[in-house]
Amino acid sequence: NCGYGAFIEAVGLAGLDYAIIDTEHGPLSIDTAEDLCRAAQGVGLAPIIRMRANEPSLIQRALDIGSAGVQVPQIETREDAEAVVRAAKYAPLGRRGLSYYTRAGDYAIHGTDGVTDALNREQLVIIHVEGVRGLENLDGILSVGGVDVVFLGPYDLSQSFGIPGQVNDPRVIAGMERATRQIRAAGKWAGTFAADPATARRWMDLGVQYISLGVDVGIFASACRELVSRLREGPP
């Protein structure tokens, strides 16, 4: 019964604040992503596009379809972060290509005055710091204006530490905790992924404000497993 659009509508109706539309690990095309933005915004859900790469043309398209922002992976240096901002912001803050005839610009139906300033202000720039090199260069990354959220990727961090998937290893946790303090001290929002509410609450208590809670296929698979398990238990 459920296609992509129905699922994202259900997410919004359930009360979540935003959804990450993943074009890095997921198979979604830009056309599908645009339709998902429409579905999300129809139920008050902010759609964030997770990019495949730090590429200006990809970032521009993801913002032009009217998303609430972009989330760009594998940021390791100040220069990487500066490149994201250049691609995501119109002049004078960046070099994003300008067309008013996009979904983000309401197809110029309401005029063009103030559109670029509004989009510069309203569309979020979220960067992933998810490797040891990024942690080492975090102060420089945090010095870049125009970045709203620094997202700490626990799984890629564990891989960078040489312990793939061990996201609860003390080295990963300690690195993320230090980074969260740095991010907050720099006046930016800290973000991360949590597979379950208990993990999410722990990071929230430590100062993380932007929590990606679960993955659609994981949520669905978990619900299916629970249904099967309860059915096999027999009548109560």
Side-chain angles (χ1 to χ4, degrees):
N1 275 358
C2 208
Y4 286 136
F7 195 96
I8 205 165
E9 285 176 327
V11 168
L13 292 168
L16 295 180
D17 298 312
Y18 68 92
I20 297 172
I21 298 169
D22 190 351
T23 66
E24 180 186 10
H25 296 295
L28 301 175
S29 68
I30 195 71
D31 305 76
T32 302
E34 184 176 40
D35 285 342
L36 290 177
C37 286
R38 291 188 177 99
Q41 289 158 340
V43 291
L45 187 72
I48 305 293
I49 309 294
R50 178 166 170 162
M51 309 306 306
R52 286 201 308 272
N54 188 1
E55 291 287 344
S57 61
L58 299 178
I59 292 170
Q60 177 179 310
R61 293 188 81 191
L63 293 170
D64 281 353
I65 64 174
S67 67
V70 289
Q71 194 160 317
V72 183
Q74 300 295 338
I75 302 303
E76 296 189 327
T77 65
R78 183 187 66 209
E79 291 76 17
D80 288 343
E82 289 171 340
V84 176
V85 174
R86 276 197 305 272
K89 299 294 185 184
Y90 295 110
L93 304 179
R95 301 176 189 168
R96 176 177 168 184
L98 176 57
S99 170
Y100 294 110
Y101 299 94
T102 63
R103 184 168 184 270
D106 291 332
Y107 311 109
I109 289 170
H110 303 300
T112 60
D113 288 348
V115 168
T116 57
D117 288 341
L119 292 174
N120 274 350
R121 183 174 61 252
E122 294 168 6
Q123 289 184 304
L124 294 174
V125 173
I126 303 161
I127 59 172
H128 281 215
V129 172
E130 45 194 349
V132 171
R133 189 176 178 215
L135 293 180
E136 292 171 347
N137 291 325
L138 188 55
D139 283 337
I141 291 168
L142 291 171
S143 72
V144 177
V147 172
D148 299 296
V149 182
V150 178
F151 186 94
L152 303 170
Y155 282 91
D156 277 302
L157 276 170
S158 72
Q159 181 167 248
S160 182
F161 276 109
I163 45 174
Q166 297 182 43
V167 295
N168 293 314
D169 184 277
R171 288 165 287 182
V172 176
I173 297 296
M176 290 178 62
E177 289 178 347
R178 284 194 302 272
T180 297
R181 290 192 292 270
Q182 285 177 264
I183 294 163
R184 292 295 305 270
K188 300 187 189 299
W189 278 43
T192 194
F193 171 80
D196 55 73
T199 303
R201 174 54 60 187
R202 179 180 181 279
W203 284 115
M204 290 168 68
D205 290 345
L206 289 169
V208 175
Q209 305 116 303
Y210 178 92
I211 296 284
S212 172
L213 178 58
V215 178
D216 53 2
V217 292
I219 294 167
F220 182 71
S222 178
C224 289
R225 282 197 304 269
E226 183 179 355
L227 286 172
V228 171
S229 175
R230 293 175 68 176
L231 182 65
R232 287 176 175 169
E233 288 173 358

